Amino acid sequence: MKRITDPRAFIEAETRAKPVPHAEEIRLYLADEAMDLWQKTEEELGEMGLPPPFWAFAWAGGQALARYILDTPDLVAGKSVTDFACGSGLIGIAAMLAGAKSCHAVDIDSFAIEATLANADLNGVKISVEQADITAGDPPETDLFFCGDVFYDKTMADKVLAFLDRTLDRGTPVLIGDPGRSYLPKERLELLATYHVPVVGALEDSEIKKTCVYRLVPKTGA
Ligand SMILES: C[S@@+](CC[C@H](N)C(=O)[O-])C[C@H]1O[C@@H](n2cnc3c(N)ncnc32)[C@H](O)[C@@H]1O
């Protein structure tokens, strides 16, 4: 039996609204610790094997992209953007605060979708949301495509990169924020910015992660 009847209330009760360390203009509902929240979500839903609560953390890649967007608002001003694998919605919120015309945020996790809506409200911006794995289909119509911290799992990374290639094929620029995860396609990146991003040490191998923003370049010969 499902006991979480109001996911928004659950998110607000189990996290705290606080500034993002590397993008302090933005506040998010964030957790201090993952395991208790993960366990509580599974207990409350009565389901085991749920994905970790990615939505309750500002990942290094997302923080770097958010910082880059806030510092280079011309990148997004007046444009439609997509925040793929949005988690907390941090990147989309940064884009809207920087003057984007609209943002569509996509994630497979229903809690990420709820967290993105809650965080958008917290920051006074509007974001449209979609809970789906869109990687098998056609890329969305959008002026800019953002991916924060998505190259940590091989199966996911392979699927996402093939999808991003189709996104590039239709002429949409793809920007990636990443701290050097295992499956980052290093040979396909143009460096735009480097930051040193505070993260939750218990989730990472250090308290500060060197994290870069890149533009994905087409395959050689493509
Ligand atoms: C490490 S978190 C990054 C969240 C956010 N972009 C950030 O940087 O803070 C990875 C996110 O990818 C989402 N995800 C995993 N596979 C996905 C897929 N096929 N399509 C969309 N989102 C996906 C997860 O649910 C999770 O929210």
Side-chain angles (χ1 to χ4, degrees):
M1 186 187 67
K2 299 203 171 194
R3 279 172 286 176
I4 300 181
T5 51
D6 185 346
R8 168 80 72 106
F10 178 79
I11 288 166
E12 292 178 6
E14 299 301 330
T15 61
R16 279 189 299 138
K18 43 186 182 175
V20 173
H22 203 60
E24 292 195 334
E25 302 90 325
I26 297 175
R27 292 167 72 233
L28 297 176
Y29 290 106
L30 296 173
D32 298 316
E33 202 278 327
M35 294 313 287
D36 286 352
L37 177 60
W38 193 356
Q39 192 178 356
K40 187 152 193 173
T41 313
E42 291 193 330
E43 282 169 8
E44 295 275 329
L45 281 175
E47 287 177 34
M48 291 299 130
L50 291 181
F54 289 113
W55 53 270
F57 298 91
W59 295 87
Q63 291 200 59
L65 256 178
R67 185 71 269 146
Y68 185 73
I69 291 166
L70 290 167
D71 290 348
T72 53
D74 287 352
L75 176 72
V76 297
K79 294 187 177 154
S80 63
V81 308
T82 298
D83 179 359
F84 173 77
C86 59
S88 65
L90 168 60
I91 296 164
I93 291 166
M96 292 308 290
L97 290 175
K101 179 177 67 182
S102 60
C103 173
H104 189 59
V106 183
D107 202 289
I108 47 170
D109 182 352
S110 62
F111 277 94
I113 296 302
E114 289 293 341
T116 294
L117 291 172
N119 286 322
D121 284 352
L122 191 61
N123 291 277
V125 298
K126 292 272 176 247
I127 290 181
S128 65
V129 292
E130 179 178 358
Q131 183 196 353
D133 184 350
I134 61 170
T135 55
D138 290 335
E141 293 269 350
T142 187
D143 295 328
L144 265 176
F145 202 89
F146 291 120
C147 289
D149 229 313
V150 297
F151 291 105
Y152 53 88
D153 172 89
K154 174 143 178 51
T155 306
M156 176 182 176
D158 288 349
K159 202 164 64 163
V160 169
L161 186 58
F163 175 73
L164 296 181
D165 276 331
R166 299 202 300 284
T167 306
L168 288 182
D169 286 347
R170 69 189 291 169
T172 308
V174 174
L175 266 61
I176 292 169
D178 199 281
R181 302 284 182 215
S182 299
Y183 306 103
L184 180 69
K186 297 187 186 68
E187 64 295 345
R188 300 278 313 277
L189 304 173
E190 174 196 339
L191 179 65
L192 299 179
T194 302
Y195 303 104
H196 291 88
V197 176
V199 289
V200 177
L203 300 174
E204 305 278 7
D205 52 9
S206 63
E207 300 276 336
I208 304 279
K209 297 280 288 181
K210 181 180 168 193
T211 307
C212 298
V213 173
Y214 307 96
R215 182 183 297 274
L216 183 67
V217 297
K219 269 190 269 201
T220 313

